[in-house]
Amino acid sequence: MRNSLKIERAKLNLTQQDLADKIGVSRQTINSIEADRYVPSTELALKMSKIFSCTVNDIFSLDEAD
Amino acid sequence: MKEEDYIRVLFPNYFKKIGLGLIVLAVLTAIILSLCRFNIFAHGNFVFREGFFCLLVIGMFLYAFSKEKNEDERLSAIRNRVMTYTFYVGVSVTLTITILNIFLKSNSNNQGDYKAIDLIFLMFCFYIFLFITEKRK
């Protein structure tokens, strides 16, 4: 699973902590998602898509290996 | 964010400090007693030994199962994974000691000092160590 969270965050000029506060998780969780160490739940993915005003598919996409 | 079921079963965050306090108390008591040349692990000092381990295990229990300041779904996933590994360790250690006892032909009344509280202590040590390590990744 790949994601463009870092890019989307940069577009809105949000820090990891800002995004974490907006969706109610820790900064480490955002960091883990960006580093592909953790795949978020549907609920969290939907919250992110709402913040970035895009679809979940725009942020997350499947790898060829998935 | 609504409080999920997995978070609701954990103790509040301040229990972590209480747990840590109990662990420190148990360790300090053991150190002070050993400085006074009193060995709590000696055979005759059953009450002190069991008391030490009880205090330690209660402290570790509160420390391990209280919420982090920012408990979220990632920490829940880590808890689940760490709990599984801890269970594997518990089963492995119990089976290893049992099999060793069979080969060493010990009878059930003479299984050394291995007791349930020792196993729980070992499992909590492993759980806390692994949880802290995984959390920091």
Side-chain angles (χ1 to χ4, degrees):
Chain A
M1 178 93 82
R2 283 172 295 168
N3 70 76
S4 60
L5 192 58
K6 202 170 181 176
I7 299 164
E8 296 295 335
R9 197 166 53 74
K11 282 182 193 169
L12 293 186
N13 201 22
L14 288 174
T15 63
Q16 287 186 342
Q17 188 64 59
D18 293 337
L19 180 60
D21 292 341
K22 280 178 189 282
I23 59 176
V25 294
S26 65
R27 187 194 59 76
Q28 286 91 338
T29 299
I30 301 296
N31 185 268
S32 294
I33 296 169
E34 285 186 2
D36 290 332
R37 284 197 305 268
Y38 175 67
V39 178
S41 66
T42 316
E43 189 184 345
L44 209 56
L46 286 168
K47 281 181 180 178
M48 285 174 190
S49 70
K50 200 175 173 185
I51 299 280
F52 298 127
S53 307
C54 59
T55 65
V56 173
N57 281 355
D58 292 333
I59 309 171
F60 298 97
S61 58
L62 289 172
D63 262 337
E64 281 159 17
D66 289 327
Chain B
M1 188 181 235
K2 70 178 190 302
E3 200 169 67
E4 305 289 349
D5 284 343
Y6 59 81
I7 296 178
R8 235 177 283 152
V9 296
L10 296 171
F11 295 111
N13 180 253
Y14 65 84
F15 272 71
K16 206 170 268 295
K17 285 173 189 157
I18 298 173
L20 208 55
L22 289 178
I23 294 169
V24 170
L25 181 71
V27 172
L28 278 181
T29 309
I31 291 170
I32 291 167
L33 285 176
S34 68
L35 286 176
C36 300
R37 293 167 193 258
F38 182 86
N39 183 8
I40 60 167
F41 299 106
H43 258 290
N45 301 328
F46 170 81
V47 176
F48 285 100
R49 183 187 182 278
E50 297 301 298
F52 168 74
F53 272 109
C54 274
L55 204 60
L56 210 55
V57 165
I58 292 168
M60 290 171 114
F61 174 72
L62 293 178
Y63 185 82
F65 297 121
S66 51
K67 290 178 200 169
E68 294 295 312
K69 274 181 188 159
N70 206 340
E71 188 82 26
D72 59 15
E73 60 173 55
R74 175 179 151 267
L75 286 183
S76 170
I78 291 174
R79 280 186 195 281
N80 283 340
R81 196 165 60 242
V82 170
M83 191 74 84
T84 308
Y85 289 142
T86 305
F87 188 76
Y88 286 164
V89 167
V91 171
S92 307
V93 169
T94 305
L95 283 177
T96 306
I97 289 178
T98 308
I99 291 167
L100 277 177
N101 274 335
I102 292 169
F103 281 110
L104 296 172
K105 294 182 180 176
S106 303
N107 62 45
S108 57
N109 295 326
N110 185 24
Q111 290 190 348
D113 286 322
Y114 182 67
K115 293 176 196 154
I117 201 145
D118 298 333
L119 176 68
I120 291 171
F121 172 71
L122 173 80
M123 287 170 79
F124 271 128
C125 285
F126 185 79
Y127 177 91
I128 291 170
F129 172 76
L130 204 60
F131 181 71
I132 291 172
T133 312
E134 289 282 308
K135 194 179 73 174
R136 285 182 180 173
K137 273 185 186 171

